[in-house]
Amino acid sequence: MQSAISIQNLSKHYADNQALKSINCEIQPGELFGFIGPDGAGKTSLFRILTSLLLPDQGQAKVLGFDVVSDYKAIREQVGYMPGRFSLYQDLTVEENLKFFAGVFKSNLAENYYLIEDIYQQILPFKHRRAGKLSGGMKQKLALSCALIHKPQVLLLDEPSTGVDAVSRKELWEMLHKLKMEGITILVSTPYMDEAAKCDRVALMQKGKILSIDTPTNIIKAFPHTLGAVKSPLMNPLLQVLKQSKLIHSAYLFGENIHVVCKLGIDFVQLEQELISKGVVEWQYQIINAGIEDCFMELMNK
Amino acid sequence: MKDFIIKEFKQIFRDYRSMIILFGIPIAQVMLFGFALTLDLNDAHFAVLDQAKDEHSRKIIEKMDASSYFILDRNLNSREEIQKVFEGGVVREVLVFKPGFSENLDKTASTELQIITDASDPNTANMMLNYTQAIISNYEQSLLLAHGKQVLIIPETQFKYNENLKSVFMFVPGVITIILMLVSAMMTSISIAREKEMGTMEVLLVSPIKPIEIVIGKVMPYLLLSFVNFLLILGLAFTVFKMPMDGNMLLLMAEALLYILMALSLGILISTVSNSQQTAMLLSMFALLLPTILLSGFIFPIENMPSILIYLSHIMPSKWFIIIIKDVMLKGAGLKEVWFPTSIILFQTVLFISLSIKKFKIRLQ
């Protein structure tokens, strides 16, 4: 089967930095695919190249078989795109925005209404409110509705969950799963590692490079080390001690804990002995399964 | 495209700043220029027909020439030359000393001096007259001090062309020209730049809508509103300032539409090189508005400028549009008479439109 999106050796640089360094990626039709990485990873540049808004320096990218450079017109007919920044008309009302974009995409509002019904229902009570006066979550729902109104075959959402409350985030992901059922290929970028689990496959990105592409489960499975969450009343001194230990691969603060990654073949029994010999007693640990963020840290340090 | 135009109208009417620029400024400017435009006089050329050639006439001429306001351009020999010298366009005032000027002054302590001014630019004419009278009464004072003699030089003033000294006739074409340029060019360039600034251009680009549709969608509402503006100023000119209309109204409207279209395409051209509303505004201000005001001949007479500015003024569409309005409204000119300035504006319109479509960015930078 032909890939919905095919990216080969794609590079892009701006005056002062290299945004994308020779990226390769194939995305299958109907996939819910996540690009995950911190700010500056190159997610937005990649999305802009895929939507034909930017020209790549090197390499090739095809969306639905159309080249992003030469067939940009065809791509613009077929994709739905939601930029990272809220990009609707703030001085138009909710309803006016939706009608305008339906007009721009030459699509029939009534015909595709079923696609957006779920989310649009939620903002319907505010349909006469100006878009600029909506809350963050409402804005995203409206933007998503506008990006979907022409029933695109490929939907690209650049950081849709940034600046959105937890409930709206959850609703957003539920919505994306529903859209996937309609056969729409969905690309999402996000800086939140915990959202990786909601994608079919993810690409972990860092400084313009893809560190790994796989299903979230496989990425976690591939984590080779023993990992423990460590707690202590004296976190900072403990972190210093751990970082100096020869048994430790890496140690970093993670929420209220320190995540301690042992070197290959080392387990926490050995680590406990070493710490006791150094006089550190006030600490507890718990062996845990690696999360995507741990995998990300690991891949980043490689 | 229809949706685009509707959307654009909604946005214009919701933004109170646009509304002020659109309708507030034009009215304010008409009133301002109509009632309060004054400028300083500097090196105005005058000529003298001195039929007296005696002591006092010579002294008055010397005093005039010595002041920084006037320059003696030439001496005339006959009344017939007065008409000719005005037609030359450089000399704006002629002083006529009748024979026996000093004799009358010395014997009867009173004499007449004829002052003829070119009032086709009423502001300058008025000012020249005031300054001349000031110099003359100054001369009267000096005689009083030197000889203790009270004399009276009675000015007999006469205006050539536009005898009623209606400065509206000069400034209405100017204001129309500037307003249409301001509203059309600035507003379109700002509104396209706003799409870029707010990120909505990003969404528009990733849609099947064509650049030409965006351009037309932007142009149509402003074409209409600018035309309404034009009618508004014209209405003010007719009712408040009693401006005459000698030519064909339809021709005038067609010329106005052409000029508006030119300004709009210029605005779009500006927007293709500016990414923020502020840049667009500054560019329109400095690249359009100032040259329009300064080099169109509206406020400062072009013929007195250095030659480089004269050449520059030839490429100002505003200069040609002012000529068209004046000719049509005041002289009743038809298309036959104004075809040349019209074709210049037409050429510029086509040039700007094709340039802006060519330069319209189908991608982000």
Side-chain angles (χ1 to χ4, degrees):
Chain A
M1 191 159 56
Q2 193 196 15
S3 303
I5 288 168
S6 153
I7 302 166
Q8 282 158 10
N9 289 321
L10 202 67
S11 293
K12 173 78 191 171
H13 80 275
Y14 301 108
D16 50 348
N17 75 322
Q18 185 87 20
L20 293 173
K21 297 169 190 162
S22 206
I23 298 255
N24 286 289
C25 186
E26 299 285 328
I27 295 164
Q28 301 311 314
E31 241 187 321
L32 173 50
F33 194 96
F35 287 91
I36 297 180
D39 291 347
K43 303 183 300 276
T44 299
S45 298
L46 179 61
F47 274 42
R48 284 184 168 166
I49 289 175
L50 291 178
T51 48
S52 79
L53 283 171
L54 283 180
L55 292 173
D57 299 333
Q58 271 166 23
Q60 246 199 356
K62 284 190 172 162
V63 176
L64 298 165
F66 298 112
D67 186 85
V68 290
V69 179
S70 53
D71 304 326
Y72 72 94
K73 279 185 187 157
I75 290 178
R76 291 175 182 192
E77 306 249 350
Q78 310 274 3
V79 304
Y81 171 51
M82 191 172 122
R85 199 161 54 115
F86 180 68
S87 301
L88 299 180
Y89 295 99
Q90 316 233 4
D91 47 356
L92 295 186
T93 66
V94 168
E95 197 179 23
E96 286 164 347
N97 264 299
L98 195 66
K99 281 191 174 150
F100 171 70
F101 282 102
V104 163
F105 284 102
K106 300 175 177 65
S107 86
N108 188 339
L109 188 57
E111 205 173 281
N112 292 330
Y113 187 72
Y114 74 98
L115 261 183
I116 59 164
E117 198 172 358
D118 285 346
I119 38 169
Y120 193 65
Q121 282 288 330
Q122 297 168 30
I123 43 176
L124 208 56
F126 311 103
K127 69 175 182 179
H128 294 302
R129 190 181 287 189
R130 304 246 171 116
K133 301 232 160 88
L134 293 174
S135 69
M138 296 282 186
K139 277 182 181 168
Q140 289 308 61
K141 279 169 195 159
L142 176 59
L144 185 58
S145 303
C146 290
L148 276 171
I149 195 62
H150 58 301
K151 199 177 183 194
Q153 294 190 48
V154 175
L155 183 62
L156 293 104
L157 310 173
D158 194 4
E159 303 207 357
S161 51
T162 303
V164 172
D165 62 279
V167 178
S168 296
R169 267 170 76 178
K170 190 168 159 281
E171 286 167 351
L172 178 83
W173 282 101
E174 282 166 7
M175 181 70 195
L176 295 186
H177 281 108
K178 264 185 204 155
L179 292 172
K180 187 177 123 71
M181 295 300 142
E182 296 285 338
I184 300 175
T185 310
I186 306 172
L187 275 69
V188 186
S189 80
T190 174
Y192 302 119
M193 305 281 164
D194 57 311
E195 290 182 338
K198 293 172 175 141
C199 303
D200 295 338
R201 284 197 305 152
V202 294
L204 300 184
M205 288 185 79
Q206 157 81 357
K207 289 184 179 155
K209 280 185 177 163
I210 290 183
L211 305 171
S212 167
I213 301 179
D214 214 328
T215 62
T217 356
N218 281 345
I219 286 183
I220 289 168
K221 263 191 209 155
F223 192 77
H225 304 276
T226 309
L227 175 74
V230 172
K231 246 188 176 163
S232 160
L234 300 159
M235 291 293 253
N236 278 325
L238 180 62
L239 185 61
Q240 294 311 315
V241 173
L242 286 168
K243 276 189 171 167
Q244 280 157 20
S245 165
K246 291 206 166 69
L247 304 175
I248 297 292
H249 176 70
S250 64
Y252 44 87
L253 282 171
F254 193 101
E256 294 179 339
N257 303 315
I258 299 173
H259 275 194
V260 178
V261 183
C262 300
K263 281 197 174 153
L264 289 175
I266 305 289
D267 62 23
F268 266 76
V269 183
Q270 288 160 286
L271 182 62
E272 202 170 7
Q273 282 167 356
E274 194 198 71
L275 285 181
I276 289 170
S277 73
K278 283 186 180 169
V280 185
V281 280
E282 250 188 290
W283 66 297
Q284 305 105 38
Y285 72 89
Q286 194 183 359
I287 305 287
I288 55 167
N289 288 325
I292 287 285
E293 194 156 354
D294 299 302
C295 301
F296 189 86
M297 299 289 264
E298 167 64 18
L299 291 163
M300 217 171 81
N301 292 333
K302 252 187 189 167
Chain B
M1 193 137 86
K2 197 188 83 204
D3 298 278
F4 205 105
I5 295 171
I6 294 171
K7 171 224 118 191
E8 202 61 35
F9 265 118
K10 282 183 183 160
Q11 288 190 308
I12 296 169
F13 287 121
R14 276 178 202 176
D15 182 10
Y16 69 96
R17 279 176 308 180
S18 318
M19 292 307 288
I20 290 175
I21 296 184
L22 264 173
F23 294 109
I25 292 180
I27 293 169
Q29 279 211 343
V30 172
M31 294 304 172
L32 201 71
F33 282 115
F35 293 116
L37 186 75
T38 53
L39 292 157
D40 231 4
L41 196 62
N42 199 8
D43 287 349
H45 288 249
F46 76 104
V48 170
L49 174 59
D50 190 355
Q51 294 166 325
K53 287 200 166 53
D54 50 28
E55 186 200 344
H56 290 301
S57 74
R58 258 197 295 273
K59 277 191 178 160
I60 290 177
I61 295 167
E62 262 170 40
K63 266 183 105 63
M64 287 277 289
D65 197 18
S67 81
S68 63
Y69 310 116
F70 294 100
I71 286 181
L72 178 59
D73 192 89
R74 67 186 75 174
N75 280 298
L76 307 178
N77 295 318
S78 68
R79 284 213 163 256
E80 285 71 45
E81 285 179 50
I82 296 177
Q83 180 70 24
K84 245 192 221 157
V85 83
F86 275 135
E87 278 170 7
V90 179
V91 170
R92 297 298 184 95
E93 184 177 81
V94 175
L95 298 183
V96 182
F97 295 91
K98 288 179 182 150
F101 183 79
S102 299
E103 225 176 296
N104 284 337
L105 192 67
D106 290 336
K107 279 185 189 155
T108 66
S110 142
T111 189
E112 277 179 5
L113 169 61
Q114 200 183 7
I115 308 167
I116 310 170
T117 40
D118 174 357
S120 62
D121 177 356
N123 285 310
T124 320
N126 238 332
M127 253 182 314
M128 285 194 300
L129 192 62
N130 290 337
Y131 280 97
T132 311
Q133 284 177 338
I135 289 169
I136 291 168
S137 68
N138 190 279
Y139 184 68
E140 289 171 346
Q141 286 285 319
S142 68
L143 283 184
L144 181 66
L145 286 174
H147 310 291
K149 202 169 139 198
Q150 182 81 47
V151 294
L152 200 60
I153 300 172
I154 303 159
E156 184 195 307
T157 59
Q158 190 189 333
F159 293 112
K160 275 262 175 202
Y161 319 109
N162 184 10
E163 288 86 355
N164 300 327
L165 214 60
K166 286 249 178 167
S167 57
V168 260
F169 300 175
M170 176 62 197
F171 87 83
V172 164
V175 168
I176 290 179
T177 309
I178 289 177
I179 290 300
L180 292 185
M181 186 65 115
L182 175 92
V183 169
S184 313
M186 194 146 110
M187 299 288 278
T188 37
S189 67
I190 289 178
S191 89
I192 292 189
R194 183 171 54 203
E195 301 259 3
K196 293 188 191 176
E197 207 175 292
M198 301 302 287
T200 44
M201 190 55 100
E202 209 173 326
V203 183
L204 286 182
L205 286 177
V206 189
S207 78
I209 197 163
K210 294 188 190 81
I212 181 89
E213 289 176 286
I214 297 181
V215 167
I216 293 175
K218 285 285 175 194
V219 161
M220 282 305 288
Y222 288 108
L223 187 66
L224 206 74
L225 289 175
S226 301
F227 192 66
V228 169
N229 235 321
F230 167 73
L231 296 180
L232 198 77
I233 302 172
L234 215 56
L236 273 181
F238 289 149
T239 54
V240 182
F241 300 109
K242 308 277 183 286
M243 177 115 180
M245 175 64 204
D246 292 340
N248 187 331
M249 195 65 197
L250 279 178
L251 175 66
L252 189 67
M253 286 182 176
E255 295 279 1
L257 276 177
L258 175 66
Y259 179 73
I260 293 169
L261 202 61
M262 185 282 309
L264 289 171
S265 42
L266 199 54
I268 290 168
L269 192 60
I270 288 176
S271 73
T272 58
V273 295
S274 43
N275 281 321
S276 71
Q277 297 184 59
Q278 223 136 30
T279 326
M281 183 130 116
L282 285 177
L283 262 178
S284 319
M285 278 290 206
F286 289 106
L288 285 185
L289 207 54
L290 285 182
T292 305
I293 294 177
L294 300 180
L295 291 178
S296 61
F298 165 37
I299 295 181
F300 306 104
I302 293 172
E303 54 267 27
N304 292 358
M305 292 178 184
S307 55
I308 177 139
L309 290 185
I310 294 181
Y311 287 124
L312 263 181
S313 76
H314 292 327
I315 60 167
M316 292 292 144
S318 45
K319 176 194 153 167
W320 300 108
F321 188 58
I322 288 184
I323 291 176
I324 292 174
I325 305 186
K326 275 192 186 168
D327 285 0
V328 173
M329 288 186 79
L330 300 178
K331 295 184 187 164
L335 189 58
K336 234 194 290 172
E337 284 81 21
V338 293
W339 71 269
F340 180 65
T342 307
S343 55
I344 289 182
I345 298 180
L346 192 66
F347 168 74
Q348 286 174 324
T349 311
V350 174
L351 181 77
F352 293 146
I353 289 184
S354 35
L355 265 180
S356 47
I357 288 180
K358 205 173 157 218
K359 290 206 76 179
F360 192 89
K361 295 191 181 74
I362 53 160
R363 295 191 163 87
L364 301 175
Q365 258 81 3

